[in-house]
Amino acid sequence: MSVLSGKKIILGVSGGIAAYKTATLVRLFIKAGAHVQVIMTPASKDFVTPLTLATLSKNPVYSTFHNEEEDNAQWNNHVELGLWADLMVIAPATANTLSKMVNGNCDNLLIATYLSAKCPVYFAPAMDLDMYKHASTVASFRTLKQYGNTIIPAESGELASGLSGEGRMAEPENIVAFLEADLESKLPLKGKKILITAGPTYESIDPVRFIGNHSTGKMGFDIAKSAANQGASVTLISGPTHIQLKNSLVNVIRVTSSEEMYNACHQFFDDTDVAICAAAVADYKPKYVVTQKIKKSENEFSIELEKTKDILASLGKIKKKQFLIGFALETENEIENAKLKIQKKNLDLIVLNSLQDEGAGFGKETNKVTFIDQHFSIEPMPLKPKELVADDIINKVIAHYEMYQEVK
């Protein structure tokens, strides 16, 4: 999954021959899962049509502050456009547009939106060789970098003038690759390794029966997705679940029993920065597993059970640098039981669920949790979709490392 997936991108197109490449650039953004809004300067429409970019972006293209051809024209609000975007890409960025960006010469909708944008801004210069090397152009590059903008370096090659050299706008594929690499490098969990458990465990009684629970694994999978979105390399150890997750940063390991999950956790834990144990692991398992299907013959039937290994407690005993997060699902004395679990299992943070809360628990699309840290600070959260709860959990991880950096 691309880091651009779900991102809201404003593509600003200025009036240079390289504008023809923006059709491909828009298609690549859409393919990466981004939402694209195109803003064109009036001059750029001589090189590529608004209809082409509107069709590819699946959004109307804006070029002026209002549509002069409509009797009841509406204002194209540059402020709203600037606030909407997660990032802004100006490609091609001509010498004229660069100069306007530097000096705030706000005579078109693109520059007005640029001046209103609160998001990161990238620009891909495109001009002839001597223009690219001119002192005023170099000064524009330097000033825009000082403003916090990021240049996507021009490439060398054949130019529209017939000359060959530096000044050619980066190819669309290279622009996308540059954006992905730059965004990934700035993600707060880049370089961190996170171990996550999810789903139920099935403890065999015989070849066809098992002891299990109603966990779907959704919470753990959402946490894994959220962690990957923040740049972490994730090992997701999942019990039996139908949920699929395709992400290059997430390695999904499928297990069935608590014993298999225990072994997998201990295999990866030592090389882990963060462990989040969200799985609903069976507390007990049959002491003896029958090799043949048990026949229904008696009116009563009993199974001798024994405790499973406590994965969370075992990790708490051996943890060194790891930030360890556990879950607690309680029905009574929730806070006190959760505090005891923090101490007993050497946790840094616990995510408390109560089955008394409507909308929380197994098989739901929502969850209502309370965060309790090792100092017993209590932070109740409102009912939210599990995806947003997952983001809250990962934000706790991010905050931990931000505080760690401040201490250092």
Side-chain angles (χ1 to χ4, degrees), residues 120-121 143-150 186:
V121 177
T143 302
L144 289 173
K145 289 180 183 179
Q146 291 172 352
Y147 290 168
N149 303 159
T150 302
K186 296 172 181 175

Side-chain angles (χ1 to χ4, degrees), residues 206-324:
D206 64 17
V208 297
R209 300 180 180 91
F210 60 85
I211 295 173
N213 56 58
H214 297 295
S215 173
T216 62
K218 178 172 172 53
M219 189 73 256
F221 274 75
D222 285 341
I223 296 169
K225 182 178 179 181
S226 180
N229 286 343
Q230 296 300 330
S233 177
V234 179
T235 298
L236 175 61
I237 302 171
S238 173
T241 175
H242 69 280
I243 303 176
Q244 301 293 324
L245 178 57
K246 292 183 179 180
N247 189 305
S248 61
L249 290 174
V250 181
N251 177 30
V252 181
I253 297 173
R254 302 282 180 174
V255 298
T256 301
S257 68
S258 60
E259 182 73 18
E260 291 172 342
M261 185 171 285
Y262 177 96
N263 292 335
C265 285
H266 281 264
Q267 178 184 346
F268 293 98
F269 184 70
D270 189 56
D271 194 34
T272 290
D273 297 298
V274 181
I276 305 173
C277 294
V281 182
D283 294 319
Y284 291 90
K285 65 179 181 178
K287 190 171 183 178
Y288 305 104
V289 179
V290 181
T291 58
Q292 300 296 323
K293 179 184 175 183
I294 299 170
K295 297 295 184 180
K296 184 172 65 175
S297 58
E298 304 294 333
N299 291 330
E300 295 182 359
F301 176 72
S302 62
I303 302 173
E304 187 177 358
L305 302 178
E306 62 180 0
K307 274 190 175 183
T308 58
K309 294 177 182 177
D310 192 322
I311 297 174
L312 190 56
S314 70
L315 298 180
K317 285 181 180 179
I318 63 173
K319 81 169 186 177
K320 298 172 184 175
K321 60 180 176 59
Q322 293 90 348
F323 187 62
L324 184 57

